[in-house]
Amino acid sequence: QVLSSLGYHVVTFDYRGWGDSVGSPSERGMTYDALHVFDWIKARSGDNPVYIWGHSLGTGVATNLVRRLCERETPPDALILESPFTNIREEARSHPFSIYRYFPGFDWFFLDPITTSGIKFANDENVKYISCSLLILHAEDDPVVPFHLGKKLYNIAATSRSFRDYKVQFVPFHTDLGYRHKYIYRSPELPRILREFLGKSEHEHHH
């Protein structure tokens, strides 16, 4: 609703194995689904900018997707990562196990050891191959993905050669605001943050 009120179209979908989508989730499958949706949107969006937004586990899908898009030279106009981790292993090490009950989609990952060996969601590795504007949003009091992992991911991206010609921005939200893992959308500052960031990325894109 926040994005719609700012004049953006929002296209989102259920990954395979979730919601109304059949199949069972896998990192590769979820990434493929995102790629398919991107291509569907690109075929219909004309000259309008297309941005990729990932939240939480979705940041892993988003960076997998955008890395592929950049490698095939069809980058999106910007990538926004909300409450991102560096990679699944570091995320897992950051927590008492019980926290995963609150992390949608993590139950299949943790409770099914067959899947664990194949899952990386390596945001930290992917950002080294991404060339487009990047905005990271993270609340300091996030109990699910610790703030320091989002900050670490930003530091990796900010020093990466792949972002040389692009803007990389990190926006922290103070603990006192109480946004935790999934309430950053409540920030009255968010529209301004997005307008400034996306305005600049659109500007860069046209030159």
CSV table of all heavy atoms in Angstrom, one decimal, residues 87 92 184:
chain,number,residue,atom,x,y,z
A,87,ASN,N,24.6,-14.4,4.4
A,87,ASN,CA,24.3,-15.7,3.7
A,87,ASN,C,23.6,-16.6,4.8
A,87,ASN,O,23.6,-16.2,6.0
A,87,ASN,CB,25.6,-16.4,3.2
A,87,ASN,CG,26.6,-16.6,4.3
A,87,ASN,OD1,26.4,-17.4,5.2
A,87,ASN,ND2,27.7,-15.9,4.3
A,92,ALA,N,22.1,-18.4,10.2
A,92,ALA,CA,21.8,-19.5,11.1
A,92,ALA,C,22.6,-19.4,12.4
A,92,ALA,O,22.1,-19.7,13.5
A,92,ALA,CB,22.0,-20.8,10.4
A,184,ILE,N,9.3,-1.9,8.8
A,184,ILE,CA,10.0,-0.7,8.3
A,184,ILE,C,9.0,0.1,7.4
A,184,ILE,O,9.1,1.3,7.3
A,184,ILE,CB,11.2,-1.1,7.5
A,184,ILE,CG1,12.3,-1.5,8.5
A,184,ILE,CG2,11.7,0.0,6.5
A,184,ILE,CD1,13.6,-2.1,7.8
